[in-house]
Amino acid sequence: MSKITSRENAKLKLARRTRDGREQDLIFIEGLRLSEEVLRSKIKIKEVFVAESFVENARGKSLIKAFQTENHSINEVAEKLFPTVADTKTSQGIILICEKPSTSKDDFEAAFKLENCKTPVVVLLHEINNPSNLGAILRTTEAVDAAGVVATKSSADVFSPKALRASMGAALRLNIWSNAGFKEALDWAKDKGLIATAADINAEKSYTEIDWKKPRLLVFGSEAHGLSTEEFEIIDESLIIPMENGVESLNLAVSCGIVLFEARRQVSGRQKQESVY
């Protein structure tokens, strides 16, 4: 285990650049849970940084041993220097620098297998700016075993530190296509037989009245202004989440969760019924 005692250490500089989004091919992972998720994934690890206090932690010792078993070198960072690299105020004392998984259209298509998913839905996030919302949606998408996520241009980075923490590692496992054009994504969905379905406050049909057994592209617009009139014109079907007491809107991640779990309920209900016979 090598020790780092200088703020100007080249590896620490690399970590800061990655944290700040200035290393295009690398991602910044912080925390015990996310580090454990990395070990269970196919993500390639470039650097491991631990605080001096982390080495004395029982769970930390176990994780360090796991990294050493995988032949990853460990950098022990002086306690006073670790906060200069961390993205959180109360860091758990471990940071990984990893290679960024590919989110290209080609790789997304290569991994796309609708029939292998329990919920036949692809989530399209159009210009979603809040990384915490985006990460929470990724986590829910994985929880219902949906077919993947498409994020359009101007959306938050699915691998930013905040999005990764909110996704609880889901971003490392999901099939994701980033920087897609809105129309490009809808054309792709049409070619795959997916029904483009969007949440709309003016829709007449409740989300529970949608037939989720049919493969769909579930579309959500930005937190600030949703979808434009022109964008709604190329949507196949709209839905609304009925609300009481004059409430007009819900948090984006909450809305997406409500709809995705209704889709999962409908599909799992059908599967249970078929299994009886």
Side-chain angles (χ1 to χ4, degrees):
M1 187 182 300
S2 61
K3 293 193 175 184
I4 297 177
T5 57
S6 170
R7 180 187 173 91
E8 300 306 311
N9 180 276
K11 291 184 178 181
L12 291 190
K13 288 183 177 181
L14 173 67
R16 295 188 194 102
R17 290 197 306 273
T18 305
R19 177 197 63 193
D20 298 338
R22 292 185 285 122
E23 288 289 334
Q24 186 176 358
D25 299 322
L26 299 176
I27 58 175
F28 183 94
I29 304 283
E30 182 175 2
L32 277 162
R33 173 67 182 276
L34 280 178
S35 297
E36 290 167 345
E37 295 293 344
V38 168
L39 277 175
R40 289 194 286 268
S41 74
K42 297 178 181 179
I43 304 300
K44 293 184 179 180
I45 300 169
K46 300 287 288 184
E47 296 289 349
V48 179
F49 300 95
V50 296
E52 289 173 333
S53 57
F54 186 83
V55 180
E56 303 304 319
N57 179 291
R59 191 173 171 188
K61 286 181 179 179
S62 176
L63 193 53
I64 288 172
K65 185 177 180 180
F67 282 119
Q68 289 174 331
T69 299
E70 296 289 333
N71 294 318
H72 298 297
S73 61
I74 314 293
N75 300 289
E76 183 179 340
V77 181
E79 203 71 24
K80 64 179 181 180
L81 291 180
F82 204 85
T84 71
V85 185
D87 187 60
T88 59
K89 290 183 179 179
T90 55
S91 178
Q92 293 179 320
I94 182 165
I95 290 168
L96 310 181
I97 304 300
C98 304
E99 290 186 8
K100 181 182 289 188
S102 173
T103 56
S104 69
K105 180 181 180 181
D106 288 345
D107 286 335
F108 179 82
E109 283 199 292
F112 181 72
K113 289 182 174 57
L114 196 64
E115 64 276 9
N116 292 345
C117 299
K118 292 182 179 178
T119 305
V121 174
V122 173
V123 179
L124 172 60
L125 302 177
H126 183 43
E127 297 181 352
I128 305 305
N129 298 313
N130 186 317
S132 296
N133 271 340
L134 191 149
I137 291 171
L138 295 180
R139 187 178 182 187
T140 303
T141 302
E142 182 181 43
V144 301
D145 193 26
V149 174
V150 180
T152 65
K153 299 169 185 175
S154 300
S155 291
D157 181 2
V158 297
F159 296 119
S160 71
K162 285 185 178 179
L164 281 167
R165 287 197 297 272
S167 80
M168 295 297 286
L172 305 177
R173 296 179 290 269
L174 282 170
N175 191 21
I176 300 173
W177 171 15
S178 292
N179 296 314
F182 183 79
K183 189 175 184 305
E184 177 188 21
L186 265 72
D187 287 343
W188 172 86
K190 184 176 181 179
D191 182 64
K192 297 297 181 182
L194 305 181
I195 303 169
T197 308
D200 180 6
I201 195 171
N202 298 311
E204 296 181 358
K205 187 178 290 188
S206 167
Y207 72 103
T208 59
E209 298 174 299
I210 300 292
D211 183 358
W212 293 103
K213 294 183 287 293
K214 296 178 179 179
R216 293 181 182 271
L217 179 74
L218 177 59
V219 184
F220 284 94
S222 76
E223 300 93 336
H225 49 75
L227 300 179
S228 68
T229 302
E230 293 75 16
E231 288 163 346
F232 267 119
E233 287 178 353
I234 54 176
I235 295 294
D236 298 316
E237 196 168 3
S238 296
L239 63 85
I240 188 170
I241 301 174
M243 290 172 276
E244 305 294 339
N245 300 314
V247 176
E248 294 184 353
S249 64
L250 295 172
N251 169 272
L252 179 65
V254 171
S255 297
C256 190
I258 289 171
V259 177
L260 282 175
F261 272 98
E262 169 60 17
R264 181 75 194 103
R265 183 193 69 80
Q266 286 191 21
V267 176
S268 62
R270 180 192 65 169
Q271 291 172 341
K272 287 179 181 178
Q273 184 177 21
E274 289 178 348
S275 67
V276 172
Y277 300 98

